[in-house]
């Protein structure tokens, strides 16, 4: 389990899920109720890992 304040990029998330394109993460935000990213600064968008893990758990329960 990760620290609640850890932030990850779309590239890191794509690697986590074995996706070839990081754009898939952005599609998930629009279509699969994936957590929305946070703009930390101009050009720096990240996701809170705690929110990603919560999303993962909710999908496990639904399956």
């Amino acid at each position: 389990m990760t620290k609640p304040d850890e932030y990850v990029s779309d590239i890191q998330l794509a690697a986590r899920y074995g996706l070839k394109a990081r754009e898939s993460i952005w599609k998930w935000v629009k279509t699969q109720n994936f957590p929305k990213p946070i703009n930390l600064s101009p050009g720096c968008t990240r996701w809170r890992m705690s929110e990603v893990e919560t999303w993962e758990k909710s999908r496990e329960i639904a399956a």
Side-chain angles (χ1 to χ4, degrees):
M1 186 154 242
T2 57
K3 298 176 185 175
D5 58 351
E6 184 177 349
Y7 294 95
V8 293
S9 69
D10 53 359
I11 294 171
Q12 291 170 304
L13 288 171
R16 179 181 182 96
Y17 299 115
L19 303 171
K20 293 181 182 181
R22 64 185 185 151
E23 289 80 8
S24 297
I25 298 299
W26 292 96
K27 288 179 186 174
W28 288 5
V29 170
K30 294 179 183 178
T31 63
Q32 294 191 24
N33 205 28
F34 196 75
K36 294 185 179 184
I38 299 165
N39 290 323
L40 298 178
S41 65
C44 184
T45 303
R46 299 290 185 264
W47 281 259
R48 282 189 180 103
M49 196 61 201
S50 60
E51 292 179 3
V52 171
E53 289 175 339
T54 299
W55 178 81
E56 291 173 346
K57 288 177 186 175
S58 72
R59 292 186 50 94
E60 289 174 7
I61 292 169

